[in-house]
Amino acid sequence: MRQNFDVKGGPQLGRQNLPRLRDAMKAQGLDGFYVPHEDEYQNEYLPACNDRLAWATGFTGSAGAAMVFQDKAVIFADGRYTLQVRDQTDPDLIEVQGLPDPGPFGWLARQSLKDKTVGYDPKLMTPNDLATLEESAKKAGVALKAVETNPIDAAWDDRPAEPMAKVVPQAVQYAGEDAGKKRAKIADALKEDGAEAAVITSPASVAWAFNIRGGDVACSPLPLSRAILKDDGSADLFLDPQKSSDALREHLGNQVRLRPMEDLEPALAELKGKTVSLDPALASAWFFRELEAAGAEIVRKRDPVLLPKACKNDTEIAGTEAAHVRDGAALTRFLHWLATEAQSGTVTEIDAALKLESFREDLGDLNDLSFETISGAGPHGALPHYRVSSASNLKLERGTLYLVDSGGQYLDGTTDVTRTVPIGEPSADMKRHYTLVLKGHIALADVRFPEGTTGTHLDTLARHPLWQAGLDYDHGTGHGVGVYLGVHEGPQRIAKPWNSVPLSPGMIVSNEPGFYREGQYGIRIENLQYVTPPESVPGGERKMLGFRNLTWAPLSRDLIDLDLLSPAEHEWVNRYHAEVLEKIGPLVDGEAGDWLKEQCQPL
């Protein structure tokens, strides 16, 4: 069993740890302290030893921040976590505010805190965020202080040890390109930018550039590591020696110098007089401080690995297609189970999550889940990032909807898929809302668009049917996905906030519009898809990019209101189901196979 359903976080953590944090703050002369969710690596999913926001407040969501003062504490979370943050924090100790409005910096700017000192950890903040914090602090009249020792770390007596998973090579048969060739291309890009070196601070970028994988972060095969790539193609890779092996050293070759993590600070000092590329959106302010102190000339540029990593090569696309077909077969067996045994009204959210995990385990090549399964029955489906625990576990009752968002990590691909199914007979409202979400999903799956189009330009397509009905959802429509890497990756994204990165061939994105009726049910339909090269459109004048679907599993026919579908949408569903049956059918036999054939019949 890869999942556990223990109760995580909760108000008791804030009650227990806020006094300890305040004592540590007082010892450092701090009236307040800024606590981001992100760790030193700007990770979304954190190793237990770096989950500082959860330790201080009890909130375990994957996005958020807090401002802690001696007399009050305020936590900030976005629309995905509106209910969760209130459940996990003590209202007598912690005030809840929104993210991004006002967000921690917007909130601070509105306060009158003259002569107060607010601390921050420069290893946990990008210079972009630090600049905003500095502007807000000025408006509030507070003095900022960079701490050398995080007061949370000082107060956290039983802090878990750092993870030390072995780092292993990722074979070229999965990566599609030799790591040396990858770094040679990056070296050429550095020369074009006038840089002699780039400091790579993102573990995902390091993993891709060196064709390595690890196990330091749950659900992501990441090694906690750093690297310095140089314009001659050589590199320094910083890892704890316990994570290394002879096989790794042989894989890295002579151009890569393997160094312990404690060598990172002196290695930055060695860049004195060099022109160094550093990403202000990913690297912490600490890196900028160290390089400036060393006398390096910093070029503020996007991490040179991000875009090549996002634009998958032919091998990566072929691998992820194969992984999705296998994963789709496991999911289809699960959907059949939901349509039969789980209709009894006695199955719980945990039962369902474990059943889906078992179907994926039966494939024989599952390395991990790509995130903790979101198994939401009835009202819990209305919590977009709900995590079931032994304390919250509901039954899948008849007359309700069940939402499951899950994925697997395989050597050749990373999957992420959401399906919403009825338990018992769905109501007319359930069918209407499901069909509106489906219409938005189809619009985004079927769109053609010119080069230079970003995810922001396309986001409206998925929301339009809901908007016309006076409805919306409070999360992004699509995120990037790696290949045996993070289930969330950039720089591309499909969402309301502006994203300047054009969608380019080979980029994988999710397509996941939703609708959530608080206290009753949630609906989300998610497939992954990748950007196809520009092609001529019959009768058109410009070549257009498009999307090719990756995820194959039947939709919920019983939730589709045919009267709301246009003829083109009706045909899209039939084409999709025909392809599901073609790809998944040979892998699903018996009663599940018969059920699949029924589900994939034309509407």
Side-chain angles (χ1 to χ4, degrees):
M1 186 172 72
R2 298 177 185 272
Q3 304 174 82
N4 77 73
F5 303 97
D6 298 338
V7 177
K8 294 183 180 179
Q12 75 283 354
L13 287 178
R15 298 181 194 122
Q16 170 184 300
N17 294 329
L18 278 175
R20 299 178 183 179
L21 173 56
R22 286 172 170 141
D23 287 344
M25 288 163 52
K26 187 175 182 180
Q28 296 189 28
L30 300 176
D31 301 296
F33 187 66
Y34 172 61
V35 186
H37 170 268
E38 293 76 18
D39 67 358
E40 294 88 332
Y41 297 89
Q42 296 298 301
N43 282 320
E44 177 184 15
Y45 299 115
L46 307 178
C49 61
N50 290 349
D51 206 351
R52 297 178 176 90
L53 182 63
W55 179 88
T57 67
F59 173 61
T60 60
S62 63
M67 287 282 186
V68 178
F69 289 84
Q70 293 295 343
D71 58 349
K72 73 180 302 181
V74 186
I75 192 165
F76 306 85
D78 66 22
R80 295 172 295 171
Y81 297 111
T82 301
L83 300 181
Q84 179 179 332
V85 71
R86 296 186 186 281
D87 286 342
Q88 291 187 314
T89 57
D90 186 334
D92 293 332
L93 295 176
I94 301 174
E95 176 186 341
V96 176
Q97 292 276 356
L99 186 74
D101 186 22
F105 307 141
W107 177 89
L108 182 63
R110 299 172 191 172
Q111 309 306 306
S112 179
L113 299 167
K114 188 177 180 181
D115 299 327
K116 300 290 186 182
T117 300
V118 172
Y120 68 92
D121 187 338
K123 292 185 177 180
L124 308 186
M125 295 189 69
T126 67
N128 290 350
D129 283 346
L130 179 55
T132 308
L133 175 60
E134 289 171 339
E135 183 180 340
S136 300
K138 186 175 181 181
K139 292 178 180 177
V142 305
L144 286 180
K145 180 180 178 181
V147 300
E148 293 301 320
T149 300
N150 191 307
I152 291 177
D153 299 350
W156 195 348
D157 295 333
D158 56 348
R159 186 179 178 190
E162 287 193 19
M164 289 294 165
K166 287 290 186 181
V167 177
V168 298
Q170 175 77 337
V172 174
Q173 73 179 90
Y174 302 115
E177 187 174 20
D178 176 77
K181 292 180 179 178
K182 288 182 178 181
R183 295 193 298 274
K185 291 178 181 178
I186 296 168
D188 290 340
L190 291 178
K191 292 173 185 174
E192 290 180 12
D193 291 336
E196 297 169 88
V199 178
I200 307 300
T201 63
S202 163
S205 291
V206 174
W208 185 88
F210 292 86
N211 284 351
I212 56 176
R213 298 296 189 266
D216 291 334
V217 180
C219 300
S220 297
L222 295 176
L224 294 184
S225 53
R226 315 283 199 183
I228 298 175
L229 303 181
K230 300 174 183 177
D231 63 356
D232 62 358
S234 66
D236 288 353
L237 174 60
F238 300 89
L239 284 173
D240 190 288
Q242 293 182 54
K243 300 178 183 180
S244 185
S245 66
D246 291 341
L248 177 65
R249 284 184 283 270
E250 181 179 352
H251 165 75
L252 294 173
N254 295 330
Q255 273 201 311
V256 178
R257 181 164 54 152
L258 199 56
R259 304 177 67 174
M261 194 63 80
E262 54 264 29
D263 272 9
L264 178 59
E265 190 170 340
L268 295 177
E270 294 167 8
L271 295 174
K272 177 179 181 179
K274 302 286 187 182
T275 304
V276 181
S277 177
L278 195 57
D279 190 335
L282 291 178
S284 73
W286 178 85
F287 281 93
F288 285 81
R289 186 182 73 182
E290 293 299 310
L291 286 172
E292 287 166 359
E297 180 182 346
I298 299 175
V299 178
R300 293 185 172 222
K301 298 283 287 189
R302 180 189 295 144
D303 176 342
V305 178
L306 280 188
L307 208 52
K309 175 166 65 71
C311 298
K312 314 309 185 224
N313 59 46
D314 290 345
T315 299
E316 290 173 313
I317 290 295
T320 203
E321 285 181 324
H324 277 82
V325 168
R326 300 192 308 275
D327 192 78
L331 180 60
T332 295
R333 292 189 184 96
F334 173 69
L335 293 174
H336 167 253
W337 178 82
L338 284 175
T340 52
E341 294 181 46
Q343 294 292 312
S344 65
T346 61
V347 169
T348 69
E349 294 169 330
I350 290 178
D351 293 336
L354 289 176
K355 191 69 175 179
L356 177 52
E357 182 182 323
S358 73
F359 281 124
R360 285 196 167 105
E361 288 284 8
D362 288 345
L363 297 174
D365 59 357
L366 179 72
N367 285 341
D368 201 350
L369 303 181
S370 56
F371 55 97
E372 291 183 321
T373 298
I374 298 170
S375 178
H380 286 165
L383 307 176
H385 275 217
Y386 169 71
R387 175 191 174 273
V388 59
S389 71
S390 56
S392 68
N393 193 24
L394 291 182
K395 290 181 179 179
L396 280 58
E397 296 181 354
R398 293 183 63 79
T400 67
L401 294 182
Y402 171 66
L403 185 154
V404 58
D405 187 347
S406 67
Q409 290 282 11
Y410 308 94
L411 284 176
D412 52 354
T414 299
T415 68
D416 180 5
V417 52
T418 306
R419 289 294 183 265
T420 306
V421 302
I423 306 298
E425 190 68 27
S427 69
D429 269 356
M430 291 173 180
K431 295 178 70 172
R432 174 172 171 264
H433 291 144
Y434 182 91
T435 308
L436 292 175
V437 171
L438 176 60
K439 287 167 72 71
H441 178 91
I442 293 171
L444 186 56
D446 221 22
V447 65
R448 305 302 300 270
F449 52 94
E451 291 182 277
T453 300
T454 76
T456 307
H457 294 132
L458 300 183
D459 181 75
T460 305
L461 291 170
R463 298 180 191 270
H464 181 258
L466 289 162
W467 283 358
Q468 297 306 105
L471 307 171
D472 201 1
Y473 50 93
D474 294 326
H475 57 72
T477 300
H479 55 82
V481 179
V483 173
Y484 194 44
L485 276 175
V487 74
H488 295 152
E489 75 168 25
Q492 76 276 20
R493 189 179 181 219
I494 302 175
K496 289 180 183 179
W498 175 244
N499 184 294
S500 63
V501 179
L503 293 168
S504 301
M507 285 183 172
I508 298 174
V509 292
S510 64
N511 173 358
E512 51 180 310
F515 173 73
Y516 310 93
R517 176 159 279 180
E518 185 176 334
Q520 296 185 38
Y521 56 81
I523 296 165
R524 190 162 62 250
I525 301 170
E526 178 188 16
N527 285 358
L528 299 190
Q529 53 197 38
Y530 68 90
V531 182
T532 56
E535 296 178 346
S536 297
V537 177
E541 297 178 350
R542 299 184 183 182
K543 290 185 175 182
M544 295 286 163
L545 293 84
F547 290 117
R548 173 63 178 149
N549 186 69
L550 285 167
T551 304
W552 306 106
L555 302 165
S556 291
R557 305 172 61 97
D558 294 342
L559 285 174
I560 299 176
D561 185 338
L562 295 180
D563 292 337
L564 294 179
L565 291 184
S566 70
E569 292 165 341
H570 190 286
E571 178 57 28
W572 185 94
V573 173
N574 286 341
R575 287 199 316 270
Y576 177 72
H577 276 154
E579 199 161 359
V580 168
L581 186 59
E582 177 188 344
K583 293 179 180 294
I584 304 300
L587 303 179
V588 181
D589 55 13
E591 293 181 2
D594 294 338
W595 174 85
L596 176 62
K597 291 174 185 176
E598 292 176 7
Q599 295 303 302
C600 292
Q601 290 299 307
L603 295 176

